[in-house]
mmCIF file of all heavy atoms in Angstrom:
data_model
loop_
_atom_site.group_PDB
_atom_site.id
_atom_site.type_symbol
_atom_site.label_atom_id
_atom_site.label_comp_id
_atom_site.label_asym_id
_atom_site.label_seq_id
_atom_site.Cartn_x
_atom_site.Cartn_y
_atom_site.Cartn_z
ATOM 1 N N PHE X 188 114.841 123.871 107.059
ATOM 2 C CA PHE X 188 114.738 124.714 108.246
ATOM 3 C C PHE X 188 113.520 124.379 109.103
ATOM 4 O O PHE X 188 113.291 125.014 110.122
ATOM 5 C CB PHE X 188 114.686 126.189 107.856
ATOM 6 C CG PHE X 188 115.920 126.634 107.122
ATOM 7 C CD1 PHE X 188 115.856 126.967 105.782
ATOM 8 C CD2 PHE X 188 117.141 126.698 107.771
ATOM 9 C CE1 PHE X 188 116.988 127.373 105.102
ATOM 10 C CE2 PHE X 188 118.283 127.095 107.106
ATOM 11 C CZ PHE X 188 118.217 127.433 105.759
ATOM 12 N N PHE X 189 112.735 123.379 108.684
ATOM 13 C CA PHE X 189 111.488 123.053 109.366
ATOM 14 C C PHE X 189 111.422 121.583 109.759
ATOM 15 O O PHE X 189 112.049 120.734 109.141
ATOM 16 C CB PHE X 189 110.288 123.377 108.470
ATOM 17 C CG PHE X 189 110.164 124.824 108.132
ATOM 18 C CD1 PHE X 189 110.663 125.327 106.934
ATOM 19 C CD2 PHE X 189 109.566 125.704 109.018
ATOM 20 C CE1 PHE X 189 110.561 126.662 106.631
ATOM 21 C CE2 PHE X 189 109.456 127.044 108.722
ATOM 22 C CZ PHE X 189 109.962 127.534 107.523
ATOM 23 N N LEU X 190 110.625 121.331 110.790
ATOM 24 C CA LEU X 190 110.222 119.975 111.142
ATOM 25 C C LEU X 190 108.924 119.746 110.387
ATOM 26 O O LEU X 190 107.865 120.246 110.767
ATOM 27 C CB LEU X 190 110.008 119.834 112.648
ATOM 28 C CG LEU X 190 109.309 118.570 113.144
ATOM 29 C CD1 LEU X 190 110.051 117.316 112.695
ATOM 30 C CD2 LEU X 190 109.157 118.592 114.646
ATOM 31 N N ASN X 191 109.004 119.047 109.267
ATOM 32 C CA ASN X 191 107.845 118.818 108.410
ATOM 33 C C ASN X 191 107.162 117.511 108.791
ATOM 34 O O ASN X 191 107.760 116.443 108.704
ATOM 35 C CB ASN X 191 108.270 118.779 106.942
ATOM 36 C CG ASN X 191 108.785 120.116 106.474
ATOM 37 O OD1 ASN X 191 108.034 121.077 106.408
ATOM 38 N ND2 ASN X 191 110.071 120.189 106.169
ATOM 39 N N ILE X 192 105.912 117.633 109.219
ATOM 40 C CA ILE X 192 105.106 116.483 109.617
ATOM 41 C C ILE X 192 103.974 116.335 108.604
ATOM 42 O O ILE X 192 103.237 117.286 108.348
ATOM 43 C CB ILE X 192 104.499 116.696 111.029
ATOM 44 C CG1 ILE X 192 105.577 116.953 112.074
ATOM 45 C CG2 ILE X 192 103.589 115.544 111.412
ATOM 46 C CD1 ILE X 192 106.326 115.753 112.530
ATOM 47 N N ILE X 207 107.323 111.753 114.109
ATOM 48 C CA ILE X 207 108.134 112.314 115.197
ATOM 49 C C ILE X 207 109.297 111.388 115.532
ATOM 50 O O ILE X 207 110.419 111.845 115.754
ATOM 51 C CB ILE X 207 107.257 112.593 116.433
ATOM 52 C CG1 ILE X 207 106.344 113.787 116.145
ATOM 53 C CG2 ILE X 207 108.111 112.865 117.664
ATOM 54 C CD1 ILE X 207 105.292 114.039 117.185
ATOM 55 N N ASP X 213 115.270 116.817 114.270
ATOM 56 C CA ASP X 213 114.668 118.072 113.802
ATOM 57 C C ASP X 213 113.682 118.691 114.790
ATOM 58 O O ASP X 213 113.025 119.681 114.461
ATOM 59 C CB ASP X 213 113.940 117.836 112.468
ATOM 60 C CG ASP X 213 114.889 117.454 111.350
ATOM 61 O OD1 ASP X 213 116.056 117.887 111.389
ATOM 62 O OD2 ASP X 213 114.460 116.727 110.429
ATOM 63 N N LEU X 214 113.562 118.149 115.986
ATOM 64 C CA LEU X 214 112.533 118.603 116.926
ATOM 65 C C LEU X 214 112.678 120.062 117.335
ATOM 66 O O LEU X 214 111.708 120.691 117.739
ATOM 67 C CB LEU X 214 112.501 117.711 118.169
ATOM 68 C CG LEU X 214 112.012 116.277 117.940
ATOM 69 C CD1 LEU X 214 112.048 115.490 119.239
ATOM 70 C CD2 LEU X 214 110.619 116.257 117.334
ATOM 71 N N LYS X 215 113.868 120.640 117.211
ATOM 72 C CA LYS X 215 114.060 122.039 117.586
ATOM 73 C C LYS X 215 113.859 123.002 116.415
ATOM 74 O O LYS X 215 114.110 124.195 116.531
ATOM 75 C CB LYS X 215 115.432 122.240 118.204
ATOM 76 C CG LYS X 215 115.544 121.618 119.576
ATOM 77 C CD LYS X 215 116.830 122.007 120.240
ATOM 78 C CE LYS X 215 116.892 121.438 121.640
ATOM 79 N NZ LYS X 215 118.157 121.788 122.299
ATOM 80 N N LYS X 216 113.398 122.480 115.305
ATOM 81 C CA LYS X 216 113.091 123.328 114.153
ATOM 82 C C LYS X 216 111.635 123.764 114.223
ATOM 83 O O LYS X 216 110.822 123.157 114.909
ATOM 84 C CB LYS X 216 113.333 122.563 112.844
ATOM 85 C CG LYS X 216 114.795 122.218 112.612
ATOM 86 C CD LYS X 216 114.968 121.474 111.313
ATOM 87 C CE LYS X 216 116.423 121.139 111.072
ATOM 88 N NZ LYS X 216 116.585 120.382 109.813
ATOM 89 N N LYS X 217 111.290 124.805 113.494
ATOM 90 C CA LYS X 217 109.916 125.294 113.416
ATOM 91 C C LYS X 217 109.042 124.217 112.800
ATOM 92 O O LYS X 217 109.397 123.620 111.791
ATOM 93 C CB LYS X 217 109.881 126.570 112.574
ATOM 94 C CG LYS X 217 108.511 127.124 112.335
ATOM 95 C CD LYS X 217 108.086 128.014 113.453
ATOM 96 C CE LYS X 217 106.785 128.720 113.079
ATOM 97 N NZ LYS X 217 105.718 128.435 113.959
ATOM 98 N N LEU X 218 107.914 123.952 113.425
ATOM 99 C CA LEU X 218 107.015 122.883 113.005
ATOM 100 C C LEU X 218 106.109 123.331 111.862
ATOM 101 O O LEU X 218 105.540 124.420 111.893
ATOM 102 C CB LEU X 218 106.164 122.445 114.200
ATOM 103 C CG LEU X 218 105.161 121.333 114.000
ATOM 104 C CD1 LEU X 218 105.851 120.046 113.576
ATOM 105 C CD2 LEU X 218 104.370 121.104 115.269
ATOM 106 N N LYS X 219 105.999 122.468 110.855
ATOM 107 C CA LYS X 219 105.054 122.669 109.751
ATOM 108 C C LYS X 219 104.333 121.349 109.531
ATOM 109 O O LYS X 219 104.957 120.309 109.395
ATOM 110 C CB LYS X 219 105.773 123.088 108.471
ATOM 111 C CG LYS X 219 106.220 124.511 108.495
ATOM 112 C CD LYS X 219 106.392 125.015 107.102
ATOM 113 C CE LYS X 219 106.609 126.514 107.199
ATOM 114 N NZ LYS X 219 106.125 127.217 106.078
ATOM 115 N N VAL X 220 103.007 121.422 109.490
ATOM 116 C CA VAL X 220 102.176 120.222 109.364
ATOM 117 C C VAL X 220 101.397 120.256 108.061
ATOM 118 O O VAL X 220 100.930 121.316 107.633
ATOM 119 C CB VAL X 220 101.198 120.114 110.563
ATOM 120 C CG1 VAL X 220 100.247 118.949 110.385
ATOM 121 C CG2 VAL X 220 101.969 119.985 111.866
ATOM 122 N N ASP X 229 100.954 125.643 105.588
ATOM 123 C CA ASP X 229 100.853 125.802 107.036
ATOM 124 C C ASP X 229 101.429 127.148 107.458
ATOM 125 O O ASP X 229 102.626 127.337 107.504
ATOM 126 C CB ASP X 229 101.572 124.666 107.757
ATOM 127 C CG ASP X 229 101.325 124.695 109.256
ATOM 128 O OD1 ASP X 229 100.528 125.544 109.709
ATOM 129 O OD2 ASP X 229 101.909 123.874 109.970
ATOM 130 N N MET X 230 100.547 128.065 107.766
ATOM 131 C CA MET X 230 100.944 129.368 108.295
ATOM 132 C C MET X 230 100.621 129.423 109.783
ATOM 133 O O MET X 230 100.453 130.481 110.346
ATOM 134 C CB MET X 230 100.219 130.494 107.544
ATOM 135 C CG MET X 230 100.440 130.450 106.052
ATOM 136 S SD MET X 230 102.158 130.500 105.625
ATOM 137 C CE MET X 230 102.236 132.000 104.741
ATOM 138 N N GLY X 231 100.510 128.255 110.388
ATOM 139 C CA GLY X 231 100.201 128.149 111.807
ATOM 140 C C GLY X 231 98.872 127.473 112.072
ATOM 141 O O GLY X 231 98.695 126.822 113.090
ATOM 142 N N THR X 234 99.116 123.539 111.895
ATOM 143 C CA THR X 234 99.833 123.039 113.069
ATOM 144 C C THR X 234 98.926 123.045 114.289
ATOM 145 O O THR X 234 98.854 122.065 115.032
ATOM 146 C CB THR X 234 101.092 123.890 113.338
ATOM 147 O OG1 THR X 234 101.980 123.756 112.228
ATOM 148 C CG2 THR X 234 101.792 123.470 114.598
ATOM 149 N N LYS X 235 98.202 124.134 114.474
ATOM 150 C CA LYS X 235 97.291 124.227 115.616
ATOM 151 C C LYS X 235 96.191 123.177 115.511
ATOM 152 O O LYS X 235 95.853 122.517 116.498
ATOM 153 C CB LYS X 235 96.695 125.629 115.696
ATOM 154 C CG LYS X 235 95.908 125.866 116.951
ATOM 155 C CD LYS X 235 95.511 127.320 117.085
ATOM 156 C CE LYS X 235 94.812 127.523 118.408
ATOM 157 N NZ LYS X 235 94.471 128.913 118.652
ATOM 158 N N TRP X 237 96.371 120.306 113.939
ATOM 159 C CA TRP X 237 97.002 119.012 114.186
ATOM 160 C C TRP X 237 97.136 118.744 115.680
ATOM 161 O O TRP X 237 96.770 117.684 116.165
ATOM 162 C CB TRP X 237 98.371 118.976 113.503
ATOM 163 C CG TRP X 237 99.188 117.759 113.783
ATOM 164 C CD1 TRP X 237 98.961 116.481 113.329
ATOM 165 C CD2 TRP X 237 100.372 117.696 114.566
ATOM 166 N NE1 TRP X 237 99.949 115.644 113.795
ATOM 167 C CE2 TRP X 237 100.830 116.360 114.546
ATOM 168 C CE3 TRP X 237 101.118 118.638 115.282
ATOM 169 C CZ2 TRP X 237 101.983 115.952 115.210
ATOM 170 C CZ3 TRP X 237 102.264 118.234 115.934
ATOM 171 C CH2 TRP X 237 102.685 116.902 115.901
ATOM 172 N N PHE X 238 97.612 119.738 116.434
ATOM 173 C CA PHE X 238 97.726 119.586 117.884
ATOM 174 C C PHE X 238 96.364 119.322 118.515
ATOM 175 O O PHE X 238 96.215 118.425 119.332
ATOM 176 C CB PHE X 238 98.334 120.839 118.527
ATOM 177 C CG PHE X 238 99.822 120.840 118.571
ATOM 178 C CD1 PHE X 238 100.545 121.723 117.798
ATOM 179 C CD2 PHE X 238 100.515 119.963 119.392
ATOM 180 C CE1 PHE X 238 101.927 121.734 117.845
ATOM 181 C CE2 PHE X 238 101.893 119.967 119.447
ATOM 182 C CZ PHE X 238 102.604 120.860 118.667
ATOM 183 N N LEU X 281 104.920 115.889 122.207
ATOM 184 C CA LEU X 281 103.897 116.832 121.732
ATOM 185 C C LEU X 281 103.804 118.066 122.622
ATOM 186 O O LEU X 281 103.717 119.190 122.128
ATOM 187 C CB LEU X 281 102.526 116.153 121.702
ATOM 188 C CG LEU X 281 102.218 115.285 120.520
ATOM 189 C CD1 LEU X 281 100.883 114.597 120.719
ATOM 190 C CD2 LEU X 281 102.211 116.096 119.257
ATOM 191 N N LEU X 284 106.770 120.169 121.945
ATOM 192 C CA LEU X 284 106.633 120.856 120.655
ATOM 193 C C LEU X 284 105.633 122.003 120.736
ATOM 194 O O LEU X 284 105.841 123.059 120.129
ATOM 195 C CB LEU X 284 106.194 119.869 119.566
ATOM 196 C CG LEU X 284 107.248 118.918 119.021
ATOM 197 C CD1 LEU X 284 106.615 117.886 118.100
ATOM 198 C CD2 LEU X 284 108.329 119.691 118.282
ATOM 199 N N ALA X 285 104.555 121.798 121.468
ATOM 200 C CA ALA X 285 103.541 122.856 121.609
ATOM 201 C C ALA X 285 104.128 124.079 122.296
ATOM 202 O O ALA X 285 103.893 125.215 121.872
ATOM 203 C CB ALA X 285 102.343 122.329 122.373
ATOM 204 N N TYR X 287 107.441 124.792 122.559
ATOM 205 C CA TYR X 287 108.544 125.283 121.746
ATOM 206 C C TYR X 287 108.053 126.093 120.541
ATOM 207 O O TYR X 287 108.673 127.064 120.132
ATOM 208 C CB TYR X 287 109.397 124.100 121.269
ATOM 209 C CG TYR X 287 110.691 124.507 120.627
ATOM 210 C CD1 TYR X 287 111.777 124.891 121.397
ATOM 211 C CD2 TYR X 287 110.838 124.500 119.243
ATOM 212 C CE1 TYR X 287 112.974 125.273 120.819
ATOM 213 C CE2 TYR X 287 112.025 124.876 118.656
ATOM 214 C CZ TYR X 287 113.095 125.261 119.435
ATOM 215 O OH TYR X 287 114.263 125.636 118.850
ATOM 216 N N ASN X 288 106.911 125.698 119.975
ATOM 217 C CA ASN X 288 106.360 126.389 118.797
ATOM 218 C C ASN X 288 105.289 127.414 119.166
ATOM 219 O O ASN X 288 104.535 127.862 118.315
ATOM 220 C CB ASN X 288 105.790 125.362 117.814
ATOM 221 C CG ASN X 288 106.881 124.617 117.087
ATOM 222 O OD1 ASN X 288 107.373 125.088 116.079
ATOM 223 N ND2 ASN X 288 107.279 123.455 117.602
ATOM 224 N N ILE X 290 102.427 127.225 120.664
ATOM 225 C CA ILE X 290 101.032 126.849 120.439
ATOM 226 C C ILE X 290 100.253 126.995 121.731
ATOM 227 O O ILE X 290 99.110 127.413 121.738
ATOM 228 C CB ILE X 290 100.919 125.403 119.890
ATOM 229 C CG1 ILE X 290 101.701 125.242 118.601
ATOM 230 C CG2 ILE X 290 99.470 124.997 119.702
ATOM 231 C CD1 ILE X 290 101.231 126.078 117.436
#
Side-chain angles (χ1 to χ4, degrees):
F188 299 111
F189 297 97
L190 168 57
N191 294 294
I192 303 283
I207 289 171
D213 295 330
L214 292 179
K215 289 189 177 179
K216 294 180 180 179
K217 176 86 172 120
L218 180 61
K219 285 203 170 211
V220 175
D229 188 5
M230 304 303 243
T234 297
K235 188 172 184 176
W237 174 71
F238 273 112
L281 279 175
L284 284 172
Y287 190 78
N288 286 275
I290 302 297

